Each structure stands twice: as C-alpha cells, then as structure tokens.
Amino acid sequence: MRDINRMQVETGGFLGRRSGGEPGIKTVWQGHTKLLYYLEAAETLNRLKGAV
C-alpha cells in the first residue's frame, strides 16, 4: 500500500524525480486540498447509495 503522504504530494503535482528535490508547501497544500475533496465526494456518493 502506498504511503498517504506520498499520495498527497503526488495528487498536488509532485513527480518524484531523482533530481526534483523534496515537494514544497504549495504542492503539499494542493494535494491535501484535493484529497479532502475526493473524500467528501466519496462520502456523498456512499450516502446517496444508501438513500436509494
């Protein structure tokens, strides 16, 4: 299973190249925000499935 931090920065646009260095705060924040949106969408879809 992938590390959640790695998934977060990749969602923010981090490519993980050898010469790329570590992800910056902007990349971390963008990934964090996108993951929160994805989780919220998944929860909403699960609630809608239960309502049908």
Side-chain angles (χ1 to χ4, degrees):
M1 188 165 115
R2 298 175 84 180
D3 184 31
I4 189 70
N5 292 328
R6 179 72 176 196
M7 190 184 321
Q8 179 178 348
V9 295
E10 285 178 353
T11 305
F14 181 67
L15 299 176
R17 296 182 179 145
R18 286 187 197 180
S19 62
E22 295 296 318
I25 189 66
K26 183 176 179 181
T27 303
V28 173
W29 185 255
Q30 287 174 337
H32 178 74
T33 303
K34 284 183 183 181
L35 282 176
L36 288 178
Y37 289 149
Y38 295 156
L39 289 171
E40 185 177 350
E43 288 175 359
T44 302
L45 288 173
N46 282 333
R47 272 191 244 124
L48 288 173
K49 281 184 185 177
V52 175

